[in-house]
Amino acid sequence: MTDRAFLVQLEGYGLTTAEICYAMPDYPALLQIFAWQEYDAAPDFPVLFDFLDHWRREIDAEIRAVRIAHEGMIRPATWRSADGVISWE
């Protein structure tokens, strides 16, 4: 059985991480952060925007900011040696 994450990467999706900064109506001055991660297609991010639309409709919290990081390419792992210590990138 093939991993779902690998299959969606073959279809052009990449791992997307969003940092959602929001405030609850009871404490508007207190900002909180929610981390969201899923495979999505850049630059349109349909999965993320579906989630954000759901948030705006169903969750009683105001989104103040969203930061997005996206890793889009499948590539082999690389390694390098620095002073005899191997580190993975």
Side-chain angles (χ1 to χ4, degrees):
M1 179 171 219
T2 306
D3 184 47
R4 175 192 165 270
F6 179 69
L7 292 175
V8 296
Q9 288 179 61
L10 290 176
E11 294 173 5
Y13 284 68
L15 188 61
T16 302
T17 304
E19 178 187 85
I20 302 166
C21 183
Y22 67 96
M24 299 297 289
D26 297 344
Y27 302 98
L30 177 64
L31 296 180
Q32 300 182 57
I33 294 176
F34 177 80
W36 176 92
Q37 193 171 55
E38 183 61 69
Y39 285 92
D40 207 350
D44 297 329
F45 300 108
V47 179
L48 173 60
F49 288 124
D50 283 348
F51 174 76
L52 293 175
D53 287 341
H54 169 78
W55 180 302
R56 288 183 184 106
R57 282 190 321 271
E58 304 295 331
I59 299 174
D60 193 20
E62 178 188 352
I63 296 174
R64 299 284 179 91
V66 177
R67 272 197 314 184
I68 303 169
H70 179 77
E71 179 63 46
M73 295 187 63
I74 297 176
R75 61 181 182 274
T78 59
W79 64 274
R80 61 189 169 112
S81 175
D83 299 327
V85 177
I86 297 175
S87 63
W88 291 95
E89 295 179 355

